[in-house]
Structure formats: structure tokens, C-alpha cells
Amino acid sequence: MALTGRTALLAALGALPVGIWDAGWTGMLAVNAPLAVACACDFALAAPVRRLGLTRSGDTTARLGDPADVTLTLTNPSRRPLRAHLRDAWPPSSWQPGTETAASRHRLTVPPGERRRITTRLHPTRRGDHRSDRVTIRSYGPLGLFFRQGTHKVPWTVRALPPFTSRKHLPSKLARLRELDGRTSVLTRGEGTEFDSLREYVPGDDTRSIDWRATARHASVAVRTWRPERDRHILLVLDTGRTSAGRVGDAPRLDASLDAALLLAALASRAGDRVDLLAYDRRVRALVQGRTARNVLPSLVDAMATLEPELVETDSRGLTATALRTAPRRSLIVLMTTLDAAPVEEGLLPVLPQLTRRHTVLVASVADPHIAHMATSRGDAEAVFDAAAAAQAQTERRHTADQLRRHGVTVVDATPDQLAPALADAYLALKAAGRL
């Protein structure tokens, strides 16, 4: 049987090593003098760990689901070559399940006075800031019998941004917006409430659009054309209280609300409207104001990245007062909250007139598709009871939505995958009707 180099050396010395561990180091204790000398030499020839220089560079942001590469530069200032095993530790949510070991551990050799770069690829599984923990290095001697071990703090933060999966709906919503604005070839002039221009009457035009004063000054009949309202203010209000923590499928309700808010913000900024964001439960969790059309989406994404549901009851009075201060002039307030009966009837309805008196209010809520599936269940007694419970939940939800509509509120109630396009359609309908 062929022997490896280390096994052959130990056999020649006629001894087997015994491992010992101490608080600050790990090593091998030989049972005879020759092996002890070999181990001492190996330990002495291992490059020191604490003198190593480490710096970071690379990605600081990544959309959830996309990789982020962080580069660690290691400099060996000693006169001995560094033969090392390195572990770059990050929080567990920085990796896909089962990939941490392969992605965080590296082997490298650095000659004296030189540097090497290694790249750790992260795959964040949760939104928010992912901060590096520590870098642990084991420096081996040439025989591999002993190693020096030490840790270094090399701070770095990668922010996992919302994935914005609803951006796939943006082209179709922009096409609808261009129709409203009259910028595409359609049979009728774009709808809207702001005067755009005058043109000559053609058969098929609405006679109510004829401008009789302009017609009297010209030899031909003139009609008015209109365009959608511009430069309106939209305030996105995210309820981050306990109801936003309820899971629908694999994600909390808050995540679906964030995705819908991003699609609406992207659409509204393209339409020439101003978009602000307020996240609130019992205090302000995020506030984005006064951004230009070019900067509003990056600002919203960055502010939403660290938002998490808070397990407290939302203070509806405080939310309303903060929204009124944030939007002092007439605005479209898009409130993303629950349609559960108790929070709405006890919290939102008593203060709703303060909002509807001055603003147009739209309430968007995430519906659970499992409830609809349960409502169709049949076959045995348990399935029938499930269907009855689901039907009752749906009835209560519709009743709550009707209460809000009686106060002049537009209600959007949709499943997570349909909430974003449904909210965008509701915004376009309000814009076409001149209600912003």
C-alpha cells in the first residue's frame, strides 16, 4: 500500500500523533522526541495569522434571488508562505439551503509579501441587510501537522432588495397609459380631464367635445382634445402592523404589498405623477418624499429592503395623522392594509372620514387563494366544514369592502400574484376618470 507523505513521515518516526485542543490554538502532541521536533518545526514554519491584512470589495446590493459577489483581498506580510483554509462566515439567510459549506470555504496559498483575492458568492433568501460575521483562517505548516488559527473582523454589508417580480406587467400598463394619453394610434382620442389642444372635427367625434367659441372664429368645426391629469401626488401607505405578517403561501402579506407598490410607483412616475412612501404601524418605519421621477424607484426599493412586519396592532389614528401631514394637499392615498373585519371596523372606519374629506383613498389588500380553494371543497364532512368556514370568511371580507366603498373608497382585493396588476388598473381607471 502506498503511503502519503504525512503518513510515511509518521511511520518513519515510529509514532502516532495525539490531537489536543486548547482555548486559543489546536495542534498535535507527539509521543516521542523525533515527532515532537517535526511538529515544532511545522508549527514554526506556519505563517502567522494575526498579521495578515484583509480588505473587502464587491457588491453592496442585490435583488432577492440574484447572486452577490463579495471579494476578500488577503495580504501576507510575513516571510513565510501562507498555506491556509479560510472560512468567510455570513448569516444563514445569505445562502441557499445546503450551499453554505461549499460557498464560504476556500483554500489558498499566498507567497511571502504577496496578496490573493478570493470571491464569496452570496444568494440571499431574505430581504434586508446581510452583514459579514468574521473570517476564520487556519495557517498550516509545510508538513500539515500543525496549524495556527485566528479570526479577523472584516465588515461588509450586502442589502437584499425586493425582487419586484411584478415588473413583467409594466409594459402592458404603460401601453394602456399611452392610450389614455393619446400617444398611440387608437380610434378615439385619449381620455382625460385636462385640456390638451383643438383640432378639426371629423365624423365620429363626440359632439359634446365641440368648442363653439373656437368654431365661431374659424371656418371649420373645432373640437377639444383632452389628456390625463399630470403632476398629481400619490402617497403609498404601507401598514406594517401584525396583520402584514400573516403568511399567504410562502411569503408574508407585506411582501406582496411591496411588490404591488413598486409597480404602481413605476407606472405613476412614468405618467408624470409624484410618488411618496410612508410605512407605519405605531411609528414611522420608512418615509420617502420629494424624489424625482428618475430617482423615486431606487429610493423606494432601498427603503423597502429593510421593512419587516411588526407584531403590534397598528395605530390607525396615528397612521391617519401622519398621512395627513405627509400629504397636506389633495392626493391619492393608497393604503395597503388588511380587509379583516376587526382591524377595519375598530381601527380604520372611525378615522376614515378624515382622509376621504380631503383625499381620494384606495385600499389594497392581499387575499389568500387558499380560502377560495377551500370554498370549493366537497367530498367528506371535513371538506364541507372547511367550505362553510371559507364561505363565511369571504362574506365577511366582502362586507368589509362594501363598508369602505360606502365611504367613497376604491377597494382592490386580490391574491398576491394578481394584486400588483389589479392595483395598477385601478390607478389607471381613477386617472382616466379624473379623480386623482
Side-chain angles (χ1 to χ4, degrees):
M1 180 181 69
L3 298 178
T4 63
R6 187 184 308 177
T7 307
L9 174 62
L10 295 176
L13 294 174
L16 292 177
V18 178
I20 63 170
W21 290 263
D22 202 345
W25 61 281
T26 305
M28 306 299 295
L29 177 64
V31 297
N32 62 10
L35 185 57
V37 173
C39 291
C41 293
D42 198 44
F43 179 77
L45 293 174
V49 173
R50 301 191 181 279
R51 294 174 54 193
L52 298 175
L54 291 93
T55 58
R56 289 193 188 273
S57 61
D59 297 332
T60 56
T61 60
R63 289 198 180 277
L64 195 65
D66 294 340
D69 291 334
V70 179
T71 300
L72 185 68
T73 302
L74 190 149
T75 304
N76 179 16
S78 71
R79 298 180 180 180
R80 284 166 274 177
L82 174 68
R83 308 169 187 86
H85 292 179
L86 181 146
R87 179 175 182 262
D88 192 1
W90 291 75
S93 58
S94 302
W95 321 92
Q96 296 288 349
T99 64
E100 177 182 359
T101 300
S104 64
R105 287 168 168 78
H106 309 271
R107 300 182 66 174
L108 71 161
T109 299
V110 185
E114 297 188 12
R115 66 182 63 180
R116 291 292 184 270
R117 292 184 177 88
I118 57 173
T119 299
T120 300
R121 171 157 290 189
L122 308 179
H123 284 86
T125 58
R126 292 184 59 183
R127 286 183 296 103
D129 291 337
H130 299 257
R131 296 179 174 86
S132 60
D133 186 10
R134 61 177 67 96
V135 177
T136 303
I137 303 173
R138 285 182 176 179
S139 173
Y140 286 87
L143 300 178
L145 301 177
F146 258 89
F147 59 78
R148 304 170 185 263
Q149 179 169 308
T151 60
H152 291 260
K153 290 284 188 179
V154 192
W156 194 260
T157 301
V158 174
R159 174 163 290 187
L161 306 174
F164 193 14
T165 55
S166 63
R167 63 181 179 273
K168 62 186 177 184
H169 299 290
L170 186 58
S172 63
K173 304 309 175 186
L174 289 176
R176 174 59 181 153
L177 179 64
R178 287 192 293 270
E179 291 179 8
L180 292 177
D181 204 17
R183 290 199 295 263
T184 58
S185 299
V186 292
L187 294 178
T188 60
R189 183 68 172 173
E191 302 173 13
T193 59
E194 290 187 350
F195 175 74
D196 186 18
S197 61
L198 292 171
R199 62 172 174 81
E200 186 176 347
Y201 174 85
V202 296
D205 283 340
D206 190 345
T207 55
R208 291 174 296 180
S209 298
I210 296 176
D211 189 319
W212 295 108
R213 291 185 179 182
T215 299
R217 295 194 299 268
H218 297 82
S220 58
V221 179
V223 296
R224 300 186 188 95
T225 59
W226 309 87
R227 70 179 184 184
E229 302 164 312
R230 294 177 180 273
D231 198 29
R232 295 303 189 262
H233 181 223
I234 299 173
L235 177 61
L236 303 174
V237 181
L238 295 171
D239 178 358
T240 56
R242 65 169 182 83
T243 57
S244 67
R247 300 188 74 83
V248 178
D250 294 331
R253 284 185 168 90
L254 180 60
D255 284 15
S257 298
L258 296 180
D259 194 54
L262 288 175
L263 180 63
L264 178 57
L267 180 62
S269 62
R270 297 284 188 91
D273 293 331
R274 295 172 289 112
V275 182
D276 292 340
L277 171 73
L278 170 66
Y280 192 95
D281 41 72
R282 287 188 174 274
R283 64 180 179 87
V284 176
R285 301 291 177 177
L287 181 62
V288 178
Q289 286 182 288
R291 299 299 192 273
T292 63
R294 177 178 297 180
N295 297 327
V296 63
L297 202 60
S299 299
L300 293 182
V301 168
D302 189 63
M304 292 176 178
T306 56
L307 285 179
E308 295 292 343
E310 300 293 331
L311 299 182
V312 296
E313 195 70 37
T314 299
D315 178 9
S316 296
R317 293 186 180 278
L319 185 149
T320 301
T322 306
L324 291 174
R325 288 196 302 270
T326 307
R329 298 182 179 180
R330 180 171 178 81
S331 307
L332 170 63
I333 294 182
V334 181
L335 176 57
M336 297 187 173
T337 186
T338 182
L339 283 182
D340 294 344
V344 173
E345 293 176 358
E346 298 176 9
L348 182 59
L349 285 178
V351 298
L352 192 58
Q354 300 178 37
L355 293 175
T356 56
R357 188 181 303 118
R358 185 187 306 175
H359 304 291
T360 300
V361 180
L362 189 158
V363 171
S365 182
V366 182
D368 191 345
H370 184 61
I371 299 297
H373 177 73
M374 287 175 56
T376 62
S377 299
R378 298 294 186 272
D380 55 24
E382 183 178 355
V384 172
F385 280 117
D386 288 345
Q392 181 179 359
Q394 290 176 326
T395 300
E396 292 177 352
R397 198 173 182 88
R398 285 194 294 268
H399 175 69
T400 303
D402 290 340
Q403 286 183 294
L404 293 173
R405 292 189 181 100
R406 285 195 289 270
H407 284 78
V409 175
T410 301
V411 179
V412 175
D413 185 21
T415 56
D417 58 336
Q418 293 299 320
L419 181 64
L423 181 58
D425 288 339
Y427 161 77
L428 291 173
L430 291 173
K431 196 171 187 66
R435 293 181 55 192
L436 298 187

